[in-house]
Every structure is written in C-alpha cells, then in structure tokens.
C-alpha cells in the first residue's frame, strides 16, 4: 500500500449466499479502498471514494453492502459490492468520522465523529434520524471529540471520547444510559491548577477502543494509557483492569470473542494480545508489525484458534492465528510469532 493502512473489515461472518465472494476490505489514508480475496489474498477491486478513509464496515445481512467513512471531510459512503457502485453519501458531520457501522438488524447506519456526535442514518434516503451529543467533563457547553464506537445487544451503542470517558447509548429511546470513566487524572495533576488545558492534552486520556461482550452484560474500554478495562454495564462499575506494566504503548482496537469471555487488543506498538476478561490474565501475545496497528477484524472465532486481520502504519495488512489456551486455568501463556499472511497492494 502507498500510505498507512487505516482500517480493515471482512464480509465472511455475514455471507448467506454461496455466490457472494469472500472479501477483505482495506482502507488507507490515501483514499484507497481495496478489496482482496479472502482465501487467496489476491486483489479483486479498488473502489473510488472519500479521501482519508478512516473505517470500513460491511452490512450484517449478506455482506454485500459496504460503508466507508472519511476523516477529512466527515462523509460516509455506501457501496453495493456486486455492482461496485456507490449507493449513498451521508453528509452532516462537522468534522471527521472516526467510526461507524450498520445496526445489527441492518436497518440503520451509525457514525461517530470528532465533532462529538453519534448520528443515526436511514440508508435508503441518506437522512439523519437522530443525533446524540455528549458534554465535555470540564465544560458542559463543549463537546469532546469521539474516537471509537461499538454495538451491543438490546439496541445499545458504546462510544469512546478524547476526554477519557465512554458513553453507553440506547438507540430506541435515544438516551445516554451510562458514562464510564476510563482514565483517571493523576492526583498530582489535579493539584496543579496552572496550565490545566496544556496538561490535559499531554495526558494519555483518550479512549481509543470499545466493545460489548456477546453473552454477558459486560463491555470493555481501551485507552492511549495502554489499559484495558472490563465493565459491568448495568451497574456501570469496573470489574477488571488489564495492563502490561513494561509496555507504554496505547491500545488502538479491541474485540470480544463471540462466545468466550476473551478480548483481543491491538496497540500503537504493533502488538496483538489476547486477554481473559474474568481475571485480567494475558493469554497470548503476537508481533509482526513494525508500527501502529490502526485496525483489526476477526475472521473466525474458533474454540482453539482465532484468526485476526490487521492494518498498520507500516503499510501492510497481516493475518494472524492466535491459539486459545485452556481458559479454565489462570496461568498466563505468552508467545510471539510472525503473521501467517501479509497482503501487499500491487
């Protein structure tokens, strides 16, 4: 790839028709949206779209529609994969769009932006149906930019923000039901009243990754502080704090296992990790990237192996297999190895 790979997604989990090709979609900061064959890694198609592509998301019903969000102009483009045509462009955000996806039933599209809003869109008309706004902790008249988004069951959405807070929203009632404080400002910073704004900008406050567990009422937040936190959603209380003390790199993405209490995280140091959310143990570590991992997508969640596709600032897309240890034990087993595939754009 000619520029940093910003995002990856796959339609494999959503395919219901044998005629639908299995694809890996890759976005880059040069505006390229490249589709690769999932099985062979060969280039299939390059789509024209927005500049500075920040995220990609396939439709959950069939995997034949693709969303792409732009960090530069705040637009979201929707493509029909069989015809390779753009069906819709969503316009309304005042700043870049940092994350987005379709709702689980596929009826609506969601987008989170650096302008501090979460928007709900009608795909067929391109109209915005609702706008969630979140106040800055330090000033109720200002909004903190959003950084990430995830969807859960019961119509919930979870967004992370630059000010160290994550918000849980109920889409049907159009309400924010909980706010989770991921980053706690150190006491010595609270006591220093001089240059508060400058100090806040230097702190690793931003929540860069969020996600819901699939079978329990838990969620997770990951931040630039390198900490993964596991939360109980109903009580909005933190259950576990997971960190690697000797690693100062921030968490960039996280995803839960589809059935087990496991969380995969990627980092600005180019490292993949697998955690046990019940006890906070680190189960697996994988390396191979030479720079920040900007995005990751889960190809398959097996009982013994998970396959993860990653995109990085090192301009490569890599495919990793992570072995799942016996999670009934509490022993930490950490290994390091190279990816099984590295995709290159010709």
């Amino acid at each position: 790839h000619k520029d940093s790979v910003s995002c990856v997604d796959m339609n494999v989990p959503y395919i219901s028709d044998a005629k639908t090709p299995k694809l890996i979609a890759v976005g880059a900061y040069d505006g390229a949206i490249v589709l690769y064959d999932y099985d062979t890694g060969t280039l299939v198609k390059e789509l024209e779209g927005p500049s500075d592509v920040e995220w990609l998301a396939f439709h959950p019903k069939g995997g034949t529609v693709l969303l792409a969000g732009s960090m530069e102009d705040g637009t979201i483009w929707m493509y029909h994969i069989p015809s390779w045509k753009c069906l819709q462009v969503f316009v309304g955000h005042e700043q870049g769009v940092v994350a987005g996806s379709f709702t689980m039933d596929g009826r609506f599209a969601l987008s989170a932006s650096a302008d501090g809003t979460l928007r709900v869109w009608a795909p067929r008309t391109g109209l915005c149906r609702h706008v969630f706004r979140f106040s800055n902790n330090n000033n109720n008249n200002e909004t903190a930019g959003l950084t990430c988004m995830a969807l859960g069951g019961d119509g919930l959405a979870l967004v992370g923000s630059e000010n160290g807070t994550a918000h849980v929203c109920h889409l049907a009632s159009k309400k924010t039901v909980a706010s989770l404080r991921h980053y706690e400002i150190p006491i010595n910073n609270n006591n220093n009243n001089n240059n508060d704004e400058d100090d806040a900008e230097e702190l690793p406050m931003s929540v860069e990754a969020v996600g819901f567990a699939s079978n329990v009422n838990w969620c997770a937040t990951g931040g630039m502080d390198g900490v993964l936190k596991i939360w109980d959603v109903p009580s909005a209380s933190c259950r576990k704090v997971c960190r690697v003390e000797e690693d100062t790199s921030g968490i960039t993405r996280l995803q839960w296992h589809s059935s087990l209490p496991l969380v995969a995280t990627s980092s600005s140091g180019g490292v993949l990790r697998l955690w046990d959310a019940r006890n906070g143990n680190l189960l697996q570590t994988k390396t191979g990237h030479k720079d920040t991992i900007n995005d990751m997508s889960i190809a398959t969640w097996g009982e013994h192996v998970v396959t993860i596709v990653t995109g990085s600032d090192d301009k490569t897309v890599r495919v990793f297999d992570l072995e799942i240890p016996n999670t009934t034990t509490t022993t930490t087993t950490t290994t390091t190895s190279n990816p099984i595939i590295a995709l290159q754009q010709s």
Side-chain angles (χ1 to χ4, degrees):
H1 286 268
K2 299 175 182 178
D3 204 341
S4 296
V5 175
S6 55
C7 49
V8 293
D9 197 27
M10 289 171 289
N11 67 349
V12 178
Y14 314 124
I15 292 177
S16 56
D17 186 345
K19 296 181 180 179
T20 302
K22 296 179 181 180
L23 299 171
I24 299 174
V26 179
Y29 288 133
D30 58 7
I33 301 174
V34 184
L35 298 172
Y36 294 96
D37 183 277
Y38 172 78
D39 293 315
T40 65
T42 57
L43 192 150
V44 175
K45 184 73 173 179
E46 185 169 348
L47 302 175
E48 293 185 2
S51 57
D52 204 349
V53 178
E54 181 70 16
W55 57 269
L56 297 167
F58 279 101
H59 196 283
K61 304 296 183 180
T64 59
V65 176
L66 177 69
L67 287 178
S70 170
M71 192 61 188
E72 183 170 309
D73 61 15
T75 59
I76 304 106
W77 295 46
M78 185 172 70
Y79 300 90
H80 183 240
I81 295 304
S83 64
W84 311 116
K85 293 181 179 180
C86 178
L87 302 177
Q88 194 69 259
V89 178
F90 306 94
V91 180
H93 282 295
E94 298 176 1
Q95 295 184 42
V97 185
V98 297
S101 72
F102 290 100
T103 54
M104 291 184 174
D105 59 9
R107 294 179 57 197
F108 300 102
L110 301 179
S111 58
S113 170
D115 65 13
T117 66
L118 172 67
R119 292 178 180 261
V120 183
W121 306 89
R124 292 192 178 183
T125 64
L127 298 177
C128 182
R129 300 292 296 271
H130 184 66
V131 180
F132 289 91
R133 301 182 187 276
F134 311 97
S135 62
N136 191 314
N137 289 340
N138 299 321
N139 189 333
N140 289 329
N141 295 322
E142 297 181 359
T143 57
L146 301 183
T147 56
C148 52
M149 185 197 76
L151 297 179
D154 300 322
L156 295 179
L158 179 61
V159 294
S161 70
E162 294 175 346
N163 66 4
T165 304
H167 306 280
V168 183
C169 309
H170 188 252
L171 299 176
S173 65
K174 302 176 181 178
K175 293 181 179 180
T176 302
V177 296
S179 292
L180 314 175
R181 188 62 184 168
H182 174 90
Y183 185 82
E184 299 292 342
I185 298 177
I187 296 176
N188 59 337
N189 283 82
N190 283 326
N191 293 335
N192 183 8
N193 294 323
N194 297 324
N195 301 321
D196 285 345
E197 292 185 1
D198 293 339
D199 290 342
E201 291 178 359
E202 294 176 1
L203 294 172
M205 297 178 65
S206 182
V207 178
E208 294 293 315
V210 292
F212 286 101
S214 59
N215 53 3
V216 290
N217 286 325
W218 296 352
C219 69
T221 58
M224 286 308 298
D225 57 358
V227 175
L228 171 69
K229 288 190 175 182
I230 310 299
W231 302 83
D232 178 76
V233 176
S235 64
S237 60
C238 182
R239 300 187 73 259
K240 291 294 177 182
V241 177
C242 314
R243 59 161 59 91
V244 177
E245 295 293 346
E246 63 272 17
D247 188 354
T248 59
S249 60
I251 291 174
T252 57
R253 289 290 187 271
L254 70 82
Q255 286 199 30
W256 286 82
H257 191 284
S258 58
S259 59
L260 298 175
L262 306 177
V263 182
T265 63
S266 61
S267 78
S268 59
V271 179
L272 280 177
R273 292 186 172 95
L274 186 66
W275 305 84
D276 189 327
R278 297 168 300 180
N279 50 36
N281 282 350
L282 176 62
L283 302 176
Q284 281 276 311
T285 300
K286 292 282 188 176
T287 61
H289 279 295
K290 299 177 181 179
D291 209 333
T292 298
I293 298 175
N294 291 315
D295 201 7
M296 69 174 180
S297 183
I298 306 300
T300 55
W301 276 119
E303 292 184 2
H304 305 290
V305 177
V306 54
T307 301
I308 300 178
V309 179
T310 58
S312 169
D313 273 340
D314 64 14
K315 304 179 182 180
T316 66
V317 178
R318 298 177 184 269
V319 183
F320 295 85
D321 274 349
L322 274 72
E323 295 181 2
I324 299 176
N326 182 358
T327 55
T328 60
T329 68
T330 58
T331 303
T332 301
T333 57
T334 303
T335 62
T336 301
S337 70
N338 291 322
I340 56 175
I341 298 176
L343 305 179
Q344 299 284 351
Q345 183 183 12
S346 59

